Amino acid sequence: MTGVLCAQLAPRVADLPHNRELSVSAVRGAAARGAGVVVLPELVTSGYRLASAAEAASVAIGRDDPLFAEWGRAAPESVVVGGFCERGADGLLHNSAAVVDRGELVAVYRKTHLWDEEKSLFTPGSAPPPVLDTSRGRIGVLICYDLEFPELTRKLALEGAELLAVPTNWPLVPRPEGERPPEVVIAMAAARVNRVAIACCDRSGEERGTRWTEGSAIIDREGWVRAVADGSGTATAELDLAASRDKRLTDRADVFTDRRPDLY
């Protein structure tokens, strides 16, 4: 079993020093609770409601930034997946996620599907999302809106992902009383049809007039929500990630071998 923890934080927009300290403290606290996989929100280093490309550039960091080593020192036995505002070597800005495994930066993924005003700030990624063999299992990475494209979740599942780690920032939208956030419903469906666990880490607070869903959820491979953020903003669950390798529904039904790619 692997302890998976989502740290639902409230970064301050365009306040890199504060957000650096906030994220490192959250990772350290997660490690103290025994989390083997720690997921942080989207753009946790910069905040989301950046007013312009110039403001985004002012808090963008490169892959060589010391922050990722700080995450690693805070949780030396864990995998940490967190969002950041990336300045590429060519100067372009990206909405990215870093993966740190036992202190080492092992991958950076640039968000493929940019949402709404993100398109005026960031350049979309040109590489597919990774599936990584980590110390805690085989982990795929998506960012927020990416999760709403079933082609991507199926792709990562076919590549053997046992867990999808998804940093998110979900703006609050109306929903009927008693219903889960629509993004969580999408994640539940993706988990169930692919038989893969999913950990979505949302953010909290209000930022420049935008309220956030605060909908962090950890979902098992059968599509059931195993944990949501509690009063401290933490969602945590123990998951058997290796179970995601088994795609059988019954002895004669398997969600992968029953596919008909010759027809679709």
Side-chain angles (χ1 to χ4, degrees), residues 55-153:
E55 184 175 58
S58 74
V59 289
I61 59 177
R63 301 181 183 205
D64 58 350
D65 193 272
L67 174 64
F68 307 118
E70 293 177 43
W71 288 356
R73 287 192 295 271
E77 300 300 318
S78 305
V79 176
V80 182
V81 182
F84 72 107
C85 179
E86 181 191 1
R87 180 188 297 106
D90 54 7
L92 296 176
L93 301 181
H94 304 274
N95 181 339
S96 299
V99 182
V100 177
D101 186 6
R102 290 189 171 178
E104 179 184 356
L105 180 67
V106 295
V108 170
Y109 165 61
R110 293 171 172 172
K111 188 175 183 178
T112 305
H113 300 92
L114 298 179
W115 168 258
D116 197 53
E117 294 179 0
E118 292 175 32
K119 296 170 183 175
S120 65
L121 303 175
F122 302 113
T123 298
S126 58
V131 176
L132 306 163
D133 286 314
T134 75
S135 61
R136 297 293 180 163
R138 195 157 166 81
I139 297 177
V141 181
L142 298 173
I143 301 174
C144 201
Y145 190 35
D146 287 333
L147 187 65
E148 302 196 25
F149 293 82
E151 299 90 344
L152 271 190
T153 51

Side-chain angles (χ1 to χ4, degrees), residues 134-188:
T134 75
S135 61
R136 297 293 180 163
R138 195 157 166 81
I139 297 177
V141 181
L142 298 173
I143 301 174
C144 201
Y145 190 35
D146 287 333
L147 187 65
E148 302 196 25
F149 293 82
E151 299 90 344
L152 271 190
T153 51
R154 175 54 56 91
K155 179 181 188 300
L156 298 191
L158 287 170
E159 291 176 2
E162 299 166 353
L163 172 72
L164 303 186
V166 190
T168 74
N169 281 181
W170 289 333
L172 184 63
V173 297
R175 64 180 188 268
E177 185 176 354
E179 294 288 352
R180 294 189 185 276
E183 299 91 346
V184 175
V185 175
I186 290 169
M188 292 171 67

Side-chain angles (χ1 to χ4, degrees), residues 23-37:
S23 64
V24 172
S25 177
V27 171
R28 184 178 298 111
R33 295 180 61 170
V37 178

